[in-house]
């Protein structure tokens, strides 16, 4: 008996120690996150600085939290700078000092309060009577599974009786007895009503915590704390007499509450990998504002927390992050401007509606992996709500899509708990189902269809679980970093783009131990007086095009891109060998101009030899410190000629008479005729001299072209449902795009003459990611490239303006150039320190 008590005490202590930091009180105290080298203990540093040591920052190695009473100063930074000053003045020698152990320090700042939106919840108005035989089939399935949940029949995303096939294709998985047992999904949100009849049996208290009110149970406490509970219901609502069922109705569901109050980066870092050995999947239906003007990512602490989870979570298999793509499509927003969705560590999930149509809100980007069902076409997701037995029929936005993916991944984990975080992404790529909707579908190197709007298609629960059963696990992750490519040329405006290339050889990949590609990231610096005018695309050696960045009509920021990292999943499975081209465009001819400064390519993928492959070092701001170093290589300029675009208008789907149908890429587009060579605009003299006579043609394989000028091709249509909550009436505005322009696939084809292609052995040093950290190479070509005619985004969207039911948020436009904007972390370790949050701005529910 006594033994049992001791055991319980011991167990309780263990649980507490997983969250050993005392609650923060930002009203009375300041908090400092410090990364220390092992040469000093945190208590010794605290004694030296006269601050209080609070504890380790969760699972992030060697990171500690200190506090002082509230004051204006940054005591850690002041001490670090004071030491530097004294050394400079030779008041102190270079002998060891306790502060030398400080590798990074950051005074914590509260981020602006989270902000919620209701625009994503259209009034339910289900259309048409379901077919009798399909209803009988549904009844039969429900009977076999003993599902008696009252709103199961309304949960069209699980079994669609109105449009057959437009659902998760999940009942076959359940009939095999696969329901998410032993998998845990953690909803990182505004709480989770663990007292709901629909959630209480699956609620997993150990994986849950409230970082807003600093209590164990993440109970929704504010009037509008409904979002997390609704997401939780989608994943794990029980099979019972309350509401409906979740995708993984026998999985465990936990909640981490962060969206209901002000938090700091440390809080978010702790939350985002909370109990990483117990929680398997973190479902995040939020992010920086989706206003089309924000460019913001996780602060370096949060990024480190995610890397920690991916490397150590789930017993080393890696925590699985699912992020909603964002709801800013109507404001031109693009999920590559969001550092959470464009992280290689997160699965970015966009939305389609019950008709497989693109809902007006769902953002596109090259980081988007997959889509699944959510609101639109007069219906939404039916799920659990807060309360003992309350349901909602109006859960929507990409917020509602993300958790459905999380639930499906829980099913995968039940079948194959040993899959890694990258296997989840592979399985998604291999089994997602492309569907017949107009978009910029292009066929990738491995024969998959990819669209920036729909990723690799829609998730199919049956297909992914089936594939998971026999899936051969991928080998560990390897990477190859290019040196910084210094371009430093003005970007021409309008139809012309500035292109820069980097060649990867087979030997480079061997040296990097990299066998085949998964994610590609491009970190870049562009100076510009109006960020929204810019667009960037990446062309792989095989001709697959990623639109890394698209123009955003409302993005007035007097900044370009500052060490921002864009990501693409469109090159999944390519070998990587050959010429990679980045093309920066200034899409608008106006007074705003800019310069393409530099860029760096990072290829991520499966390694060749797992026995020599290590883990990626924890990300540090100094990863990108080296780009100011001058290199010796010349800048080469090349003109690229583009055939005159041909406009094609194709037929429209019957249910959207004005919606154009984009063509699938033709198999063998004809290469365009080569235009007369034009003299390089700003070529370095030696480059021009050595260039002649080494023409090289670049004939990308077929790709349908959209992208920047994708805007011009995305047929804006869409219905915006305005919920007039207070009077309870609804108005639906149908907005139909007027323009019908479609460029055929061949318009993207071009040839260009390379003026010079000097050998780049030198550049190649430091290619191997494992060793590339501080290496630098030489700069490579910057080529002028004549792109297709751009079209004003403003024009395209102008009609829509009046229908937007959301006022642009002032605070939403806040971006932090020095920190929040930086994808790879801008707060450097070592002697450069920073105070304040790594990511200003608020989160928005999606
Ligand atoms: C959907 O599930 C059924 C089994 O219920 C299966 O036969 C079918 O192949 C699945 N669809 C896809 C695309 O895998
Ligand atoms: C659940 O997980 C535990 C520990 O990981 C394992 O021992 C057990 O076999 C699993 N149960 C099922 C039903 O898979």
């Amino acid at each position: 008996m006594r033994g049992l008590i001791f055991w319980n005490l011991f167990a309780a202590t263990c649980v507490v120690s997983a969250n050993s930091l005392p609650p923060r009180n930002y009203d009375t105290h300041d908090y400092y996150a410090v990364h220390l080298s092992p040469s000093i203990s945190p208590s010794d540093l605290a004694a030296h600085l006269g601050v209080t040591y609070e504890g380790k920052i969760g699972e992030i190695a060697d990171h500690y939290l200190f506090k002082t009473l509230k004051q204006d100063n940054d005591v850690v930074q002041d001490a670090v700078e004071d030491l530097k000053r004294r050394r400079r003045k030779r008041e102190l020698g270079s002998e060891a000092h306790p502060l030398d152990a400080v590798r990074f320090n950051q005074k914590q700042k509260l981020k602006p309060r989270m902000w919620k939106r209701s625009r994503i919840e259209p009034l339910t108005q289900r259309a048409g009577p379901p077919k009798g035989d399909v209803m009988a089939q549904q009844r039969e399935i429900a009977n076999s599974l003993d599902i008696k949940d009252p709103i199961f029949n309304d949960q069209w995303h699980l079994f669609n009786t109105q449009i057959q096939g437009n659902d998760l294709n999940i009942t076959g998985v359940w009939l095999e007895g696969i329901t998410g047992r032993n998998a845990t999904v953690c909803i990182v949100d505004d709480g989770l009503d663990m007292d709901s009849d629909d959630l209480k049996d699956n609620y997993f208290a150990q994986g849950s915590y409230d970082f807003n009110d600093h209590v164990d149970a993440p109970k929704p406490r504010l009037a509008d704390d409904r979002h997390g509970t609704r997401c939780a219901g989608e994943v794990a609502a029980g099979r019972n007499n309350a509401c409906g069922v979740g995708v993984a109705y026998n999985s465990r569901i936990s909640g981490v509450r962060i969206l209901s109050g002000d938090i700091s980066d440390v809080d978010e870092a702790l939350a985002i990998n909370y109990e990483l050995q117990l929680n398997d999947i973190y479902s995040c239906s939020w992010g920086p504002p989706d206003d089309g003007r924000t460019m913001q990512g996780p602060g370096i602490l949060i990024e480190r927390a995610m890397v920690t989870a991916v490397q150590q979570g789930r017993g080393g298999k890696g925590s699985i992050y699912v992020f909603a793509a964002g709801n800013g499509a109507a404001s031109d927003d693009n999920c590559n401007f969001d550092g959470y969705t464009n992280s290689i560590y997160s699965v970015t999930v966009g939305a389609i509606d019950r008709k497989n149509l693109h809902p007006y809100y769902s953002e596109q980007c090259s980081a988007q992996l997959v889509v699944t069902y959510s609101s639109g076409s007069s219906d939404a997701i039916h799920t659990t709500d807060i309360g003992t037995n309350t349901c909602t029929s109006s859960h929507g936005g990409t917020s509602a899509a993300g958790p459905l993916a999380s639930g499906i991944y829980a099913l995968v984990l039940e079948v194959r708990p040993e899959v890694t975080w990258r296997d989840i992404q592979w399985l998604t790529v291999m089994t997602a189902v492309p569907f017949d909707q107009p978009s910029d579908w292009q066929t990738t190197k491995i024969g998959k269809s990819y669209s920036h709007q729909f990723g690799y298609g829609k998730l199919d629960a049956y297909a992914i679980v089936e594939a998971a059963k026999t899936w051969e696990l991928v080998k560990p992750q390897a990477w190859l970093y290019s040196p910084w490519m210094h371009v430093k040329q003005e970007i021409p405006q309008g139809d012309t783009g500035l292109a820069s290339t980097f060649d990867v050889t087979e030997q480079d990949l061997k040296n990097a131990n990299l066998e085949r590609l998964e994610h590609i990231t491009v970190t870049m610096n562009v100076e510009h007086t109006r960020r929204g005018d810019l667009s960037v695309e990446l062309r792989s050696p095989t001709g697959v095009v990623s639109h890394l960045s698209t123009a955003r009509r409302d993005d007035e920021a007097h900044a370009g891109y500052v060490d921002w990292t864009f990501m693409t999943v469109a090159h999944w499975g390519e070998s990587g060998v050959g010429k990679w081209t980045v093309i920066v465009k200034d899409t608008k001819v106006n007074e705003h101009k800019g310069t393409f400064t530099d860029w760096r390519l990072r290829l991520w993928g499966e390694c060749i030899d797992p026995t020599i492959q290590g883990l990626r070092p924890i990300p540090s701001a100094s990863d990108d410190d080296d780009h100011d170093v001058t290199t010796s290589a010349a800048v080469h300029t090349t003109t690229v000629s583009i055939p005159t675009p041909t406009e094609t208008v194709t037929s429209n789907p019957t249910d959207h008479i004005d919606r154009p149908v984009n063509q699938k890429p033709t198999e063998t587009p004809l290469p365009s005729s080569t235009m007369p060579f034009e003299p390089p605009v700003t070529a370095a003299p030696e480059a021009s001299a050595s260039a002649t006579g080494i023409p090289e043609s670049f004939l990308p394989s077929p790709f349908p072209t959209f992208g920047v000028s994708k805007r011009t091709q995305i047929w804006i249509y869409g219905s915006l449902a305005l919920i007039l909550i207070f009077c309870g009436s609804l108005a639906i505005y149908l907005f139909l795009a007027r323009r019908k322009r479609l460029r055929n696939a061949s318009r993207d084809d071009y040839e260009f003459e390379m003026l010079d292609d000097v050998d780049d052995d030198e550049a190649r040093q430091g290619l191997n990611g494992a060793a590339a950290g501080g290496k630098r190479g030489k700069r490579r070509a910057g080529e002028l490239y004549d792109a297709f005619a751009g079209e004003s985004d403003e024009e395209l969207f102008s009609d829509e303006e009046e229908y937007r039911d959301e006022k642009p948020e002032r605070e939403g436009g806040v971006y932090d150039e020095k920190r929040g904007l930086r994808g790879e972390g801008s707060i450097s370790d070592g002697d450069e320190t920073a105070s304040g949050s790594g990511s200003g701005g608020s989160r928005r529910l999606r």
Side-chain angles (χ1 to χ4, degrees):
M1 185 59 197
R2 180 170 295 177
L4 191 63
I5 290 168
F6 277 130
W7 170 248
N8 283 343
L9 275 176
F10 175 70
T13 313
C14 286
V15 170
V16 168
S17 70
N19 179 40
S20 57
L21 282 174
R24 265 75 62 213
N25 182 344
Y26 295 100
D27 290 336
T28 55
H29 287 83
D30 288 332
Y31 295 87
Y32 296 90
V34 179
H35 181 198
L36 280 184
S37 59
S39 63
I40 190 172
S41 78
S43 346
D44 287 349
L45 183 76
H48 178 82
L49 289 171
V51 301
T52 308
Y53 171 49
E54 289 283 271
K56 291 190 68 197
I57 301 180
E59 309 288 334
I60 313 177
D62 306 322
H63 284 60
Y64 306 94
L65 193 69
F66 301 89
K67 74 171 180 188
T68 64
L69 284 173
K70 216 170 168 53
Q71 55 181 292
D72 290 338
N73 292 347
D74 181 331
V75 298
V76 182
Q77 182 62 13
D78 289 352
V80 166
E81 278 170 13
D82 186 56
L83 174 65
K84 263 198 261 177
R85 191 164 44 241
R86 284 162 65 196
R87 283 211 171 116
R88 223 173 18 242
K89 292 185 173 166
R90 306 202 187 273
E91 292 168 19
L92 272 182
S94 56
E95 66 273 12
H97 186 278
L99 284 173
D100 292 333
V102 175
R103 299 174 62 184
F104 161 83
N105 60 289
Q106 186 189 62
K107 184 175 179 178
Q108 295 304 297
K109 256 190 347 206
L110 292 177
K111 308 178 183 193
R113 181 171 275 257
M114 316 308 172
W115 201 85
K116 302 183 188 185
R117 289 173 171 165
S118 57
R119 72 186 169 104
I120 57 176
E121 300 171 8
L123 191 78
T124 298
Q125 201 185 60
R126 274 172 298 128
K131 297 193 190 84
D133 50 335
V134 188
M135 286 184 76
Q137 200 188 337
Q138 183 187 42
R139 208 158 35 239
E140 199 179 304
I141 290 168
N143 284 342
S144 329
L145 293 165
D146 203 21
I147 291 175
K148 300 199 178 72
D149 298 67
I151 68 161
F152 176 66
N153 288 357
D154 296 331
Q155 293 187 296
W156 58 268
H157 64 282
L158 299 174
F159 189 93
N160 195 332
T161 52
Q162 285 172 357
I163 309 176
Q164 273 184 278
N166 284 10
D167 55 35
L168 303 183
N169 201 26
I170 199 167
T171 52
V173 182
W174 293 341
L175 287 166
E176 292 182 6
I178 300 159
T179 54
R181 279 198 181 77
N182 236 10
T184 307
V185 179
C186 178
I187 305 291
V188 182
D189 210 290
D190 63 6
L192 187 162
D193 192 350
M194 67 291 292
D195 299 321
S196 154
D197 284 349
D198 223 6
L199 296 171
K200 63 184 182 194
D201 290 342
N202 289 333
Y203 176 62
F204 182 60
Q206 267 179 282
S208 303
Y209 191 75
D210 183 338
F211 282 92
N212 289 130
D213 288 324
H214 293 291
V215 292
D216 287 338
K219 180 86 177 167
R221 285 167 229 278
L222 305 180
D224 60 350
D225 283 352
R226 298 172 169 271
H227 187 257
T229 302
R230 292 172 172 189
C231 293
E234 292 181 87
V235 177
R239 187 183 52 173
N240 51 28
N241 293 320
C243 294
V245 290
V247 167
Y249 56 74
N250 282 317
S251 64
R252 287 184 292 253
I253 188 88
S254 57
V256 162
R257 186 163 175 257
I258 59 166
L259 301 182
S260 307
D262 298 341
I263 58 167
S264 67
D265 269 17
V266 154
D267 298 319
E268 192 178 315
L270 291 166
I272 209 154
N273 68 12
Y274 186 72
E275 289 290 8
L276 74 174
Q277 301 308 343
L278 302 177
N279 290 320
D280 299 319
I281 299 163
Y282 295 93
S283 195
C284 304
S285 290
W286 46 267
D290 295 330
D291 52 13
R293 295 178 292 138
T294 302
M295 189 169 199
Q296 181 188 315
I300 189 90
L301 283 178
I302 299 160
E303 202 188 341
R304 288 175 181 181
M306 288 178 76
V307 173
T308 301
V310 153
Q311 295 185 346
Q312 292 165 28
R314 284 199 315 125
K317 294 295 179 187
S319 308
I320 294 151
Y321 285 102
V322 174
F323 270 88
N327 293 344
S331 317
D332 271 5
D333 213 341
N334 176 301
C335 31
N336 240 328
F337 289 79
D338 169 344
Y340 295 85
T341 48
N342 84 6
S343 163
I344 64 172
Y345 302 115
S346 64
V347 174
T348 298
V349 181
I352 46 171
D353 70 15
R354 64 189 193 88
K355 292 181 173 170
N356 281 359
L357 299 175
H358 173 252
Y360 72 92
Y361 55 80
S362 191
E363 292 178 23
Q364 58 173 325
C365 69
S366 61
Q368 180 160 224
L369 199 64
V370 76
V371 290
T372 192
Y373 289 100
S374 188
S375 57
S377 293
S378 326
D379 209 343
I381 300 297
H382 300 241
T383 178
T384 317
D385 209 340
I386 56 167
T388 316
N389 184 356
T390 314
C391 322
T392 177
S393 52
S394 58
H395 189 41
T398 54
S399 265
L404 297 180
S406 299
I408 289 173
Y409 295 147
L411 301 175
V412 170
L413 290 189
E414 176 180 350
V415 175
R416 289 293 299 279
E418 70 274 31
V419 294
T420 69
W421 66 277
R422 285 170 43 249
D423 290 307
I424 288 286
Q425 297 199 20
W426 269 101
L427 283 164
T428 303
V429 170
M430 301 314 276
T431 64
V433 181
F435 45 94
D436 190 18
Q437 277 301 320
S439 190
D440 62 341
W441 295 105
Q442 61 183 318
T443 304
T444 72
K445 189 62 184 138
I446 54 171
K448 295 286 170 190
S449 289
Y450 183 81
S451 137
H452 289 74
Q453 239 171 355
F454 302 129
Y456 283 96
K458 61 171 187 161
L459 276 169
D460 185 295
Y462 189 87
I464 196 169
V465 168
E466 245 349 80
K469 289 175 183 171
T470 54
W471 178 251
E472 194 184 323
L473 301 186
V474 292
K475 293 180 280 185
Q477 187 187 43
W479 54 90
L480 181 154
Y481 293 2
S482 81
W484 277 100
M485 260 76 69
H486 298 283
V487 180
K488 291 191 176 121
Q489 286 187 48
E490 191 171 314
I491 307 157
Q493 294 195 327
D495 303 349
T496 307
L498 183 60
S500 177
T501 62
F502 180 71
D503 283 313
V504 174
T505 66
E506 227 158 296
Q507 191 58 44
D508 293 334
L509 291 163
K510 275 209 188 96
N511 295 345
N513 196 30
L514 181 52
E515 187 166 284
R516 56 173 176 172
L517 301 187
E518 294 161 4
H519 313 87
I520 316 282
T521 56
V522 172
T523 305
M524 62 196 310
N525 288 281
V526 174
E527 281 170 33
H528 202 278
T529 50
R530 191 178 185 281
R531 189 169 63 198
D533 292 358
L534 292 167
S535 77
V536 180
E537 62 189 69
L538 174 71
R539 288 163 186 254
S540 76
T542 63
V544 175
V545 181
S546 288
H547 296 287
L548 300 179
S549 160
T550 50
R552 303 196 299 175
R553 70 179 185 279
D554 294 334
D555 186 355
E556 303 278 356
H558 295 288
Y561 308 142
V562 183
D563 274 350
W564 183 260
T565 299
F566 294 108
M567 195 271 273
T568 170
V569 294
H571 308 282
W572 208 273
E574 291 189 35
S575 80
V577 176
K579 189 189 295 297
W580 292 84
T581 307
V582 163
I583 300 156
V584 177
K585 288 184 212 156
D586 184 343
T587 58
K588 288 196 182 145
V589 181
N590 56 18
E591 70 278 20
H592 295 291
K593 293 196 164 95
T595 303
F596 181 9
T597 309
D598 58 10
W599 65 289
R600 169 182 238 185
L601 180 75
R602 288 182 173 91
L603 308 179
W604 307 87
E606 187 177 20
C607 72
I608 301 166
D609 179 358
T611 64
I612 59 164
Q613 184 59 50
L615 288 173
R616 178 194 181 188
I618 195 150
S620 147
S622 50
D623 287 356
D624 284 326
D625 268 3
D626 52 346
H627 55 88
D628 288 334
V629 175
T630 30
T631 52
S632 55
V635 172
H636 310 294
T637 307
T638 306
T639 52
V640 180
S641 58
I642 300 295
T644 310
T646 309
E647 296 195 7
T648 310
V649 177
T650 53
S651 64
N652 297 315
T654 50
D655 54 343
H656 277 257
I657 48 168
D658 271 353
R659 187 186 173 115
V661 176
N662 291 345
Q663 289 178 315
K664 288 261 187 174
T666 54
E667 277 310 300
T668 49
L670 294 171
S672 60
S673 58
T674 309
M675 303 284 278
F677 176 73
E678 289 166 29
V681 173
T682 53
E686 71 273 21
S688 309
S690 60
T692 47
I694 316 177
E696 184 179 336
S697 74
F698 179 40
L699 299 172
S701 66
F703 32 77
T705 74
F706 303 103
V708 180
S709 35
K710 172 189 319 190
R711 295 254 169 270
T712 71
Q713 313 201 355
I714 285 178
W715 293 78
I716 310 297
Y717 87 97
S719 55
L720 295 181
L722 298 180
I723 309 174
L724 306 178
I725 293 166
F726 297 113
C727 56
S729 67
L730 165 92
I732 295 175
Y733 297 88
L734 192 69
F735 168 68
L736 300 173
R738 290 177 184 157
R739 291 170 192 237
K740 302 181 178 181
R741 266 176 226 174
L742 191 69
R743 313 195 188 274
N744 72 17
S746 68
R747 63 165 220 158
D748 239 3
D749 300 329
Y750 61 90
E751 291 180 345
F752 68 75
E753 292 174 84
M754 198 64 162
L755 290 180
D756 194 358
D757 195 15
V758 296
D759 96 61
D760 30 88
D761 287 342
E762 196 188 327
R764 220 160 260 131
Q765 294 168 4
L767 270 183
N768 186 326
K775 297 271 179 66
R776 46 202 51 94
K778 64 188 194 174
R779 56 192 167 174
R780 298 269 303 145
E783 297 128 25
L784 261 188
Y785 143 28
D786 182 11
F788 19 88
E791 189 172 296
S792 158
D793 298 321
E794 227 129 61
E795 275 177 277
L796 271 171
F797 280 87
S798 58
D799 289 343
E800 194 182 4
E801 201 80 19
E802 62 187 291
Y803 295 114
R804 284 189 297 148
D805 51 353
E806 177 217 349
K807 277 246 165 68
E809 260 239 324
R810 211 49 258 170
E811 72 180 47
V814 172
Y815 56 92
D816 183 337
E817 285 160 48
K818 279 283 167 273
R819 313 215 160 78
L821 285 181
R822 295 183 161 206
E824 282 290 316
S826 60
I827 306 163
S828 57
D829 277 350
D831 56 3
E832 192 187 327
T833 52
S835 60
S837 158
S839 55
S842 59
R843 310 258 165 290
R844 303 304 166 81
L845 296 193
R846 286 173 175 171

